[in-house]
Amino acid sequence: MTFSIHGLPVARGIAIGRAVLVASSRLDVVHYFIEPAQVEAELKRVRDGRDAVVTEIQRLQSTIAQMGPKETPHELAALLEVHLMLLQDEELALGVRHWIKDRLYNAEWALVSQLEVIARQFDEMQDDYLRERKADLEQITERILRAMRGVSSPLVQPLGRVMRKATQQELLLDDTVDVPLILVAHDLSPADMLQFKQSVFAGFITDVGGKTSHTAIVARSLDIPAVVGARLASQLLRQDDWVIIDGDAGVVVVDPSAIILAEYGFRQRQGELARGRLARLLHTPAVTLDGQKIELLANIEMPDDAAGAIAAGAVGVGLFRSEFLFMGRHGKLPNEEEQYLAYRRAVEGMQGLPVTIRTVDIGADKPLDESARDMAHLNPALGLRAIRWSLTEPAMFLTQLRAILRAAAHGPVQLLIPMLVHASEIRQTVSLIDHARVQLDNRGIAYGPVKIGAMIEIPAAALTLKLFLKYFDFLSIGTNDLIQYTLAIDRADESVAHLYDPLHPAVLRLIANTLAEAHAQGKPVSVCGEMAGDVGMTRLLLGMGLRSFSMHPAQILAVKQEILRADTGKLEDWAQQVMSDEEPAKRIARPA
Ligand code: PEP
Ligand code: MG
């Protein structure tokens, strides 16, 4: 039966494919794709795990038989019998085989996926006795998994490049194409999401998350349709369901009828054509109708993203979120050499164009690793995050600063500091940067010049710009956090997502003031939050005076198209009207 789920649109476009649910079971296992050559080995791992449990149960049965009926309740013997039966159940074995052989799931993932399939069948049964067998099934699955842990198994690996062929009946789609896979999860950390850069998922759906949560930001950088905050999606969807993601509307359609599939298939093709048309703008300079040159920069998460930035026509990197080099490493931080090589790779990848490296912004929804999530109840967005953390770990911070300074010997680099608010933090930061230079001098290691900039992402910073303009060469407005902290809305919380409003007059005023004051002092200022890549905001930001936008490479051409059609002279008055409106969102819908 077709039904739809509404969430928050995160990354545009339409994706149609089969659902791949991860970690939806209470049994938390690793999920990764195997190579076809590993199929037999994975099947054997499950078989060995199952055989070990069978042997264990049989041993228990013979112990019970020796003990006699008085010492052991009859129910125990019956239970063991049921467990043995379930272990030998064909549906379990055949299903697991299907997930491993046809889908190339690792053994644990296959086992848990099949458990879900059978558990649902049990749920639908009328007979109470049979329905209760679900708990037994979960128990034996747990036992097999435990037994398999004794059998050597790889640690978490990135989901690899694997797809399978669709069959004619499955589809309604062209049988010459591979079946796209859509990842469905309750939650994904930004680090998990980054892993999927290497994978073939055609789309993502998560139950939780806001539009500018870091998970959503990484999803957007992958440039594939995604919906977050889809509440119960991971419970309502079943493994292998056909799903459509409408990334523009934030809608997920499950088990679509042929008519719906045809409609979305059409829209998908239209989208592809539109992208093709945009690609023609690649070499067109970003200049408005009245001749204003606009700088279009890229936001990147990893050094290799530089290639995508160049391919999209970015004239530099406006934000390299260096924290992604630090995450998911179980607390083992990258050393100076590792960081230096990573930054250098980004710098060289940009082929002489400037790279703005932001120092580590760990904390809030970007924990170093999962164990740090225990602190969530302390309101981490207001806690030890970004520069605050760096200043409490001076050795770590100096290591990063030295690595960045060294990378600057290979091309133009700007150093960007996140979340500053106090004069004392600014002074400490500046003195640590000087200290890092002295350390490199003392060691005789070469480094390059860097311009130093501050993120303006806390309202208090936007209201004390004089201080920032005194110490820094440039500013970068982080609208994601500026909105979060101005409106007191957790950017990662879907339950208040409707109140997360980039067009709130207070937010607009803070942005406009920052632009005006920086320009008055002749200091460069850009916007690197998600607003910069939102085509619905381009004209307003131009009218407010913004001339430098930093965004995911995938958004650059669409924003450029808006710029080419804009006349900043006309937009200025209109932007003033929008800003002074009680509800700017309504006015912005009316063109200038
Ligand atoms: C921002 O806050 O707008 C920003 C660009 O930084 P991040 O999204 O990484 O917090
Ligand atoms: Mg920020």
Side-chain angles (χ1 to χ4, degrees), residues 21 99 105 108-118 239:
L21 276 92
W99 297 116
Y105 287 7
E108 290 84 354
W109 187 7
L111 197 56
V112 170
S113 298
Q114 190 55 18
L115 165 71
E116 278 170 30
V117 170
I118 303 178
Q239 281 298 354

Side-chain angles (χ1 to χ4, degrees), residues 31-44:
H31 301 78
Y32 54 91
F33 288 119
I34 56 168
E35 294 296 330
Q38 292 171 283
V39 165
E40 284 311 316
E42 288 301 278
L43 287 170
K44 182 169 177 319

